[in-house]
C-alpha cells in the first residue's frame, strides 16, 4: 500500500513539473500587445527591423506596394486585420472590399481607410489604422559611382545612405548634378555638394518614390582639377563653377596629418606656361579654382637632424623642444659625435650653436665629430693612441730641430 501511495505522489510531482515548464515556455512565446499610439506601431508589430532617422511624417510618407497596415475595429466585439498594399496599389478588407492607397500620403490614406470602413456598416465603431511595416523596393544607381547596380532600400533611406552602400563616388563624379528619376516620371536634380558643405537635407532627400539615380561623369579636360601632395586621395576631381578653394578642400580632399594647410600651391596654365600661385589659408575662401588647375598640398616642414647621431633623418616639428631634445629623439650621438659641437641652421641661413637652442620649424641640427675621433680616427687601443701621439711629437721635434 505504501509503495502505491509513493508512486502516485511521485507521478503527481512529475506531472506538475512538466505542466509548470510548459506554462513558462508559453509565457516566453506570448505576444506583448502595445496600444497603437501613432501612424507607426511599436516593435511588436514589425516583421522586419529597420532604423528610422526620426518619426515618420504622415504628410510626407507616400504609400506604395508592400506597405503593411494594421486595422482594428472596436465595437461590441473587437476584431483586427493585417493587410498589405498589393502590387496594383490596393488593399483588401474582408466584408468591406478593396480600395487603392498607393500614391497617397500616409495621412490621407489612413483617413480614407477609416471613412470607407465607417461607410460600410461600422459607423459607430472605433477604428484604429496604423502603418505596421514598411515596404522594400529596388532602385538602380548608375554613372560615376564605385559600385553601380540595383539595391534594395526602404522609403526612409536617404540618398547619402545609398551612395555609401554603392561604395561612394568615383573621382570624376559631378556631385552637384545628381539625377533622381521618380516613379511619376519626374526627374529631380540634386546638388549633393550643398549637403556635404552645409548639411542641407533638401539636397539629401529620402528615396521614397525613386526608380533610378544617375550620377554624371565630369570631363578631365574641361571640368577637373588635379590634387597632389600630402593627401590620401590624389587624382582628378570635378570642380564646380566658381567654387572656392576652401569649399573644394572641405568636401573632397582627405589630407594627411603631415599636410601643411597654412598655404596651398596652385599651378595654373597661362598661355603656354604654368604660373605658380601660392594661396595662404586666409585667402582660401576668396580663391576661385579653375578647370585645369593643379592643387599641391605641401608637407609640413619638420626638423632635420644630421651628422654623428644614431638615427639621422627628418622628424616632425614639436613646439618647445631644444636641440638636445631632438638629438635624444634621434637616438643620441654616436661614439664619434660630440654634444659640445652642435650647430643649428635656421631657414633664413642664420646659425646658432649649443644644446639649449629652441628649435623652430624647418631647422637643421648638425652634430659634428668629436676631437678624439679627429685626432686618432679608428684607432681604439692604448698602444695605437700612444704610437699616434709619439708620431706627432717626433714630427714636432724633427721640425723644430731642422729650423734651428
Amino acid at each position: 500500500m505504501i509503495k502505491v501511495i509513493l508512486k502516485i505522489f511521485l507521478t503527481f510531482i512529475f506531472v506538475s513539473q512538466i505542466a509548470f515548464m510548459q506554462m513558462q515556455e508559453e509565457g516566453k512565446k506570448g505576444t506583448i500587445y502595445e496600444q497603437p499610439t501613432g501612424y507607426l506601431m511599436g516593435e511588436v508589430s514589425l516583421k522586419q527591423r529597420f532604423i528610422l532617422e526620426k518619426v515618420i511624417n504622415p504628410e510626407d510618407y507616400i504609400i506604395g506596394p508592400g506597405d503593411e497596415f494594421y486595422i482594428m475595429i472596436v465595437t461590441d466585439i473587437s476584431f483586427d486585420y493585417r493587410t498589405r498594399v498589393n502590387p496594383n496599389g490596393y488593399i483588401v478588407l474582408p466584408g468591406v472590399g478593396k480600395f487603392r492607397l498607393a500614391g497617397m500620403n500616409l495621412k490621407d490614406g489612413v483617413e480614407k481607410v477609416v471613412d470607407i470602413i465607417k461607410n460600410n456598416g461600422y459607423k459607430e465603431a472605433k477604428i484604429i489604422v496604423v502603418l505596421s511595416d514598411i515596404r522594400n523596393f529596388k532602385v538602380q544607381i548608375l554613372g560615376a559611382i564605385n559600385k553601380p547596380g540595383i539595391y534594395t532600400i526602404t522609403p526612409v533611406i536617404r540618398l547619402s545612405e545609398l551612395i555609401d552602400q554603392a561604395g561612394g563616388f568615383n573621382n570624376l563624379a559631378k556631385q552637384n548634378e545628381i539625377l533622381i528619376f521618380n516613379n511619376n516620371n519626374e526627374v529631380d536634380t540634386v546638388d549633393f555638394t550643398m549637403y556635404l558643405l552645409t548639411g542641407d537635407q533638401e539636397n539629401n532627400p529620402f528615396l521614397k518614390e525613386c526608380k533610378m539615380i544617375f550620377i554624371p561623369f565630369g570631363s578631365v579636360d574641361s571640368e577637373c582639377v588635379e590634387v597632389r601632395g600630402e593627401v590620401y586621395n590624389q587624382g582628378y576631381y570635378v570642380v564646380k563653377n566658381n567654387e572656392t578653394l576652401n569649399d573644394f578642400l572641405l568636401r573632397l580632399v582627405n589630407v594627411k596629418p603631415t599636410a601643411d594647410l597654412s598655404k596651398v600651391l596652385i599651378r595654373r596654365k597661362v598661355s603656354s606656361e604654368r604660373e605658380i600661385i601660392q594661396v595662404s589659408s586666409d585667402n582660401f575662401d576668396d580663391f576661385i579654382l579653375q578647370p585645369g588647375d593643379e592643387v599641391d598640398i605641401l608637407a609640413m616642414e619638420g626638423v632635420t637632424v644630421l651628422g654623428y647621431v644614431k638615427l639621422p633623418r627628418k622628424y616632425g616639428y614639436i613646439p618647445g623642444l631644444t636641440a638636445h631634445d631632438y638629438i635624444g629623439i634621434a637616438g643620441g650621438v654616436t661614439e664619434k659625435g660630440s654634444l659640445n659641437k652642435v650647430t643649428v641652421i635656421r631657414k633664413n641661413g642664420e646659425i646658432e650653436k649649443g644644446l639649449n637652442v629652441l628649435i623652430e620649424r624647418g631647422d637643421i641640427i648638425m652634430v659634428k665629430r668629436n676631437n678624439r675621433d679627429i685626432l686618432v680616427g679608428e684607432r681604439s687601443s692604448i698602444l695605437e693612441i700612444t704610437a699616434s701621439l709619439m708620431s706627432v711629437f717626433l714630427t714636432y721635434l724633427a721640425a723644430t730641430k731642422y729650423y734651428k
Side-chain angles (χ1 to χ4, degrees), residues 318-333:
I318 304 174
L321 296 190
T322 64
H324 197 190
D325 296 327
Y326 272 102
I327 291 170
I329 293 172
V333 297

Side-chain angles (χ1 to χ4, degrees), residues 79-270:
F79 47 96
D80 57 9
Y81 304 96
R82 284 187 191 276
T83 181
R84 284 191 181 272
V85 180
N86 68 24
N88 294 324
Y90 290 83
I91 66 169
V92 178
L93 287 179
V96 177
K98 72 171 187 176
F99 42 92
R100 185 176 179 83
L101 291 183
M104 301 180 68
N105 67 39
L106 183 57
K107 179 177 180 295
D108 293 341
V110 168
E111 291 175 354
K112 180 177 180 178
V113 173
V114 171
D115 290 342
I116 290 176
I117 293 174
K118 282 185 175 292
N119 292 331
N120 280 270
Y122 299 97
K123 192 169 185 179
E124 302 302 322
K126 180 181 179 182
I127 300 166
I128 298 172
V129 180
V130 293
L131 178 67
S132 57
D133 197 7
I134 292 176
R135 70 187 184 276
N136 290 326
F137 63 96
K138 294 185 181 296
V139 62
Q140 189 174 29
I141 184 167
L142 300 171
I145 196 79
N146 288 325
K147 295 179 180 179
I150 298 174
Y151 291 84
T152 301
I153 64 172
T154 71
V156 293
I157 291 289
R158 288 191 182 271
L159 175 60
S160 58
E161 297 173 83
L162 178 59
I163 289 170
D164 287 341
Q165 288 183 41
F169 291 112
N170 179 281
N171 285 9
L172 301 181
K174 298 181 74 170
Q175 299 179 21
N176 59 317
E177 296 182 15
I178 297 176
L179 302 177
I180 299 177
F181 296 83
N182 297 309
N183 290 333
N184 57 6
N185 294 323
E186 291 182 358
V187 181
D188 297 325
T189 302
V190 171
D191 185 352
F192 193 73
T193 64
M194 294 307 297
Y195 162 69
L196 295 175
L197 292 171
T198 67
D200 176 17
Q201 295 287 13
E202 288 188 6
N203 287 289
N204 183 31
F206 288 114
L207 303 176
K208 47 193 175 186
E209 285 295 297
C210 167
K211 60 183 178 182
M212 189 181 78
I213 296 169
F214 181 73
I215 303 163
F217 284 92
S219 167
V220 173
D221 295 330
S222 60
E223 296 177 296
C224 290
V225 299
E226 183 180 2
V227 179
R228 304 184 302 205
E230 292 296 296
V231 296
Y232 291 111
N233 54 336
Q234 296 189 34
Y236 290 93
Y237 292 90
V238 174
V239 62
K240 295 167 58 180
N241 289 333
N242 298 316
E243 184 167 23
T244 65
L245 176 59
N246 189 65
D247 286 351
F248 179 79
L249 294 176
L250 285 176
R251 73 179 179 87
L252 276 179
V253 179
N254 186 10
V255 299
K256 295 180 180 179
T258 52
D260 179 9
L261 292 178
S262 64
K263 60 182 178 296
V264 170
L265 290 186
I266 307 293
R267 289 178 169 84
R268 176 169 292 172
K269 190 172 183 180
V270 179

Side-chain angles (χ1 to χ4, degrees), residues 268-315:
R268 176 169 292 172
K269 190 172 183 180
V270 179
S271 298
S272 59
E273 298 181 352
R274 283 201 173 271
E275 175 186 3
I276 298 177
I277 306 169
Q278 181 172 297
V279 184
S280 67
S281 58
D282 295 337
N283 296 319
F284 283 1
D285 274 326
D286 301 320
F287 187 85
I288 304 298
L289 289 171
Q290 295 179 7
D293 283 348
E294 297 172 1
V295 181
D296 283 312
I297 310 296
L298 304 178
M300 286 190 296
E301 291 182 299
V303 175
T304 305
V305 184
L306 300 175
Y308 292 88
V309 293
K310 293 178 181 177
L311 299 169
R313 64 173 184 237
K314 195 171 188 176
Y315 293 90

